[in-house]
Amino acid sequence: MDVMGDKATLFETGRFVQPSSREDTDTPDETGEIADEAAEELRQRLAAEAGDVEAMSVLGAMLLRRGDLDGAEPHLRAATAAGDRAAANNLGVLLHQRGYADEAAGWWRIAAVAGSMAAAHALGRHHRERGDEPAAEYWLRQSAEQGHTLGAYALADLLEHRGDAGAEHWMRAAAERGHREAAYRLARALDRKAAREADDDGAPVPDEAEQWYRQAAARGHRRGALHLGTILEKRGELKEAGRWYLTSAKDGEARAACALGFLLRDAGDTENAAVWWLRAAQDGDGNAANALGALHAARGETQTAERWYRAAMDAGDVNGAYNLGLLCAEQGRTPHAEQWYRRAAYAGHQEAANALAILLLRAGDETGAEPWFSKAAEAGSVDAAFNLGILHAGRGEEQAALRWYERAAAAGHTEAALQVGMARLRDGDDQEAERHLRCAAGGGSAEAAYRLATVLDARRPPEPAHELGEPVHRRSECEEWYERAASQGHRRAQVRVGMHAAARGDVVEAARWYREAAEAGSRNGAFNLGLLLAREGSEPEAAVWWTRAADAGHGRAALRLALVYARRGELAEGQRWADRAVSLGPASVAERATRLRDALRQELSA
């Protein structure tokens, strides 16, 4: 029971009475204080022996604080008998310490009726411990309304337990009077209220809640410091966030130690990050154990990584089982990976369910994979929704595939948005196609950027003519998307960018993009590069690129080669490439190649 008294005593502190264990180990700096206390005790003792009631009360309180219950009791009883309410309160504290709770409550009642706020608080606590909430509320309210901090907090706690709306008022009152737990709980209440109203757990913390977190943290509340650090980190104020995490972690808050570790890791200081993660993991923080596992896995220390992942799992963190699955999968230990994925999946880990499904699918067990994809997707896994789309598309179930693609796309999955865009293109819905392709292209899909460019290109009006009849080339949006796709290595986009550059007369830029596409395996790029080189007078080099294009199946390149060899007089080689052009097509090329081949045959037979 908290030691309490009124303003005439030293016990408005909220500390627990502890037995004295002081030996002759006081430091020199404490000697003066000890001497002063001894002198004060002697003065009060002499006054008490002379019949001074206040001295009896103060002396009893001093002995009670020191843990000398036997010495304190007669003085407190004597002062109480003389009507001292502080003594009555402290006598109740003493009896409660001895285990006589009912007798203690009797003295607290006497002191409370006499106006002791501390006694009213203690009596309210006594009744609450006995389950008598109406009596508890009555006495706690008496204490709180007289300005007693602990009484206000205890009343708020009781009302909050009952769901009473008045709890916030008294929690605020206690917080304003310096109660750190009240400040923290008030901040939490305001925080949760704002999240409920915004219907979003990630809603910004209200300024008032932050202020109370700050006050709680400044008064040494370690969870208050943790929450304040989290708020500051989200806001990007990393230096101050780190200070509060450090304060909280030093006070024993494992979550703060873990968060501090992540902050240090992000700053590049993995060594110190590992120190704090180790401290947090040893205190049972599963997230820190996972972080240590990942750190050791990245270093190739798989056995140590596995040990920490198991520690995370033992701490109740399902990510530990998932990470063990990933570790085993990387090592090719597929049966073990399946075991850990399955364990995590059964515990509700959506990404483990998706990983398990992929594992089963690769093993040819499509029937076993689908339910896990569905479970993961229903739990919110975007990747699982996309994978379900692939699964249905592979069966030819286009509508079912599209539904899952749309679900994944709505959650921001780039490849899913591309698939939806392409489906809308096939349906002829250019507007919806453009919307999804923009999302996918913005997410970094080169294919989406290319297809978006083709949609915009098809809508582009003819270029206006210059006053002198020369074409005017303005950089269009479709060119920007072509270039974005091209810069990501998309071969068809590179060819298109080259064509636009050539149309502007920028031969060097056109050649650069054609060459890049050709070297990546684009037969159109190789053919166009050959055309460009031939126009610039480099027919031998052009023939090299046409050969590459023709070997890759480009009919027009084969026809060009046939013409080159025919002009050189190498009729047999020309006839060979003409035959190749006929077989490759298309029809217009095959028709011209047939005429050329027949002419070369006549020349050869003449």
Side-chain angles (χ1 to χ4, degrees), residues 18-42:
Q18 300 291 341
S20 177
S21 59
R22 179 176 294 175
E23 299 179 1
D24 295 333
T25 58
D26 299 309
T27 63
D29 291 339
E30 295 173 319
T31 304
E33 184 179 344
I34 293 169
D36 290 343
E37 287 180 1
E40 177 61 18
E41 182 181 331
L42 178 60

Side-chain angles (χ1 to χ4, degrees), residues 154 168 413 470 473 590:
E168 184 179 326
H413 195 287
E470 297 175 355
H473 295 288

Side-chain angles (χ1 to χ4, degrees), residues 93 102 114 158 327:
V93 173
D102 292 335
L158 176 64
L327 190 66

Side-chain angles (χ1 to χ4, degrees), residues 491 494-495 512-523 525-526:
R491 293 181 302 180
Q494 289 169 342
V495 173
R512 181 173 74 85
W513 285 112
Y514 287 151
R515 190 180 299 276
E516 194 164 332
E519 288 175 347
S522 169
R523 61 189 187 186

Side-chain angles (χ1 to χ4, degrees), residues 306 310 321-344 356 359:
E306 185 170 338
R310 288 179 182 274
Y322 174 60
N323 288 330
L324 276 169
L326 290 174
L327 190 66
C328 292
E330 288 172 3
Q331 295 172 334
R333 296 157 57 195
T334 305
H336 290 92
E338 181 181 341
Q339 170 195 342
W340 293 117
Y341 284 150
R342 197 175 292 276
R343 180 166 178 172
L356 174 60
L359 209 64

